[in-house]
Amino acid sequence: MNAMGFGTFLRCCLIVLMAGGLHAAVSFDEFGVTPFEIREDSPASPFLVTGITYPIGGRVVVTAAFDVTGFGDPPLQAPVVEHDGVSSTARVILTPLPSAAGWTILTVTVAIDDGTAGGGADRVSHQALIRVTAVNDAPTIDQPVEISIDEDHGAFDILVHGLSPGPPEESYQNISLRAVPTQPSLIAVTGIDYVQGSPDATIHVTTLPDAHGVVSVIIVVSDNGGTYDGGENANVRFAQVIIAPVNDPPVLAVHRDLPVSLGGLATITTAHLRLTDVDNPSSATLVFTLVATPPGTLKRHSTTLVTGGSFTQADIEAGDITYRHSGGATDTITFTYGDGIAAAQGPGTLLVTPSGLGRPEIHLAALAPLWSEDGPATTIAPTGTITDPDSTSVNGGFLSIDIPIGFVSGDVLTVADQGMGAGQVSLSHQIVYVSGSYPVGYFSGGDAGTPLVITFSGTYATLDRMTAVLRAVQFAHVGDDPGSTSRILRVVASDGTAESSDPVTTTVAVIPVDDPPVLAAPWMATTAGVARDIRLAAVDPDSTTLTWSIISQPAAGVLTIVDPAAGIFHLQPGAIGSTSAQIAVADTTSITVATLAILVTDGDSPQPLPASDPPREAFIGIRLDADLVFDVSSLTAPGALTFALTGSPPAGLEVSALGPTSARLTWPAPAGTGGALLAFGILAIDPVSRAAGLLPVLLRLHPQPRAAQ
């Protein structure tokens, strides 16, 4: 070989060596076994590919794809790779599909884009485990349709549609509804009909008397999915109700006998005949029209009125209506009445009673009194009066009040003890006094469905004092479930000499009020580093379905809800000392917020200390009972200890108080794997100091002995 041939050969070898160096193996960092987590419905997230190496002067191509063989269809859109071909780091953009969650495997491949030379690898792939974690979605509810009704419409329904716990994967959750009017003076929510799992619900509502305007019903739908990691468990809609005003007909508030001497003349005043109208028209528009010509002579000014003749409330107020008695027995004036807008009402009657034939007559206001649940007793006739044309004495008479229609067990009728002032009614045992020291009689009954009867006797038993007693009669309901039915009260009076008055009725409108859940000041205690569960309890006389929630977290530690329906909370304690969290419990219409006091003690604080050894072993299938004793000598005036299991106790294991400082650990039927070592703790809590002490337990589970098999 000549010199030129050797040089050519040497140059060829260098070229081959250099080419082999340019195509050294490509590589990048492995991803490890920890899954890469993305929250459901979150924005796109970058997944980093790091440590990319390749031959100097070359370029690489980075690709990514999901492996569908292990977990099925991935919960993400197709991955998008961001890489410039030369950098040591690439980004794979991962975007969750809407409302999707689950697992998938991502395969990332880095390859040299110009082939292989020199025998080095030109393609490397690594896999990563990707998890899209589920987050609770808010329940759904459609916007209710606006409702337009008239004043005094009464009961009506708001139809709610589109109810669900959220996406299909959350269909296992339960939902609950609450409904509250923005203006309780216009309408009242009386109930909600909903069957779990149905997309529809019906909210029952009723208008309140003579109320009109625009009001909204706030409808809140909640699920039991919780709010962990940003989840939403509630949605709100407003159902608008428009109540149009409607003209109300006038009411014959007073139609009291007109006393007159035989054949004599009397003026009809507002004490004998009076119309009222809630729409407040002028008294000149309230008209009485005669149905028949009365036996005597009825005049307006100097004009004699016959069948079809009319006079107004303004005429009565001016003293322009007079009546001349016929000279016989009782005369009757029969009439209809109206306001010129609504249809004529009646007929009504006015009795003209000559002297010697009178009997008591009761006059009550037309406006029905209202009683609200949990409110004070309401006076049934605050402006009522009793008249008698021929007597002012009621010695031997009585006043009787009962509830013939609408009575509910728990309704009571009482006489108010107003005081000792002039015209006031006072009580001493069952004796009734008026204006201080003037005894007028005694009362009986009024409860358990019996009439309230006030029997009048003595020289102080006069008509005006009977009226004072009538105005002191009150209605109330004792209990938490009065219902919403109006009570019809019947009043009868006797002056002790003639027959009793005609019965007169008045209506008491009962407005039920939802009682919010009630819970005592809740608290829980544990020791440092020991997580535990606690079940809270609340009392609600109106509802058996309660929903618990967390309003705010403690300053130290984390509080979560294990079961929102059962009130079970889990505490992961933080720093040693006292802290608190805000919790809430709600029924369908109201919510109660309370402070949950939390105390975390350390090993140096005064606390219950174990004074006996725990069991060390148990046998499968053989009942375990172990009594444990705690020393409370470091505590000042401790109470009876309570006990709770912590850590990971096996299923079926229970701890219960045996005495003030002792507990019994019971496992009726131990089960598991022979040889397993079970680790858990027994927490002893003093309810007075709220200090907690921990007894750690390591329990070896043995197979069942042959003799016991």
Side-chain angles (χ1 to χ4, degrees), residues 143-147 149 156 158 178-189 203 205-206 212-220 236-243:
Q143 175 61 41
V145 175
E146 180 181 285
I147 296 176
I149 56 177
F156 65 95
I158 297 175
R178 301 195 304 272
V180 180
T182 56
Q183 296 188 61
S185 60
L186 300 184
I187 60 175
V189 175
I203 300 174
V205 190
T206 187
H212 58 268
V214 179
V215 61
S216 292
V217 176
I218 305 172
I219 305 172
V220 181
V236 179
R237 290 290 183 269
F238 291 81
Q240 182 166 282
V241 180
I242 301 174
I243 307 173

Side-chain angles (χ1 to χ4, degrees), residues 282-296:
S282 167
S283 59
T285 65
L286 301 179
V287 180
F288 299 85
T289 302
L290 293 181
V291 173
T293 301

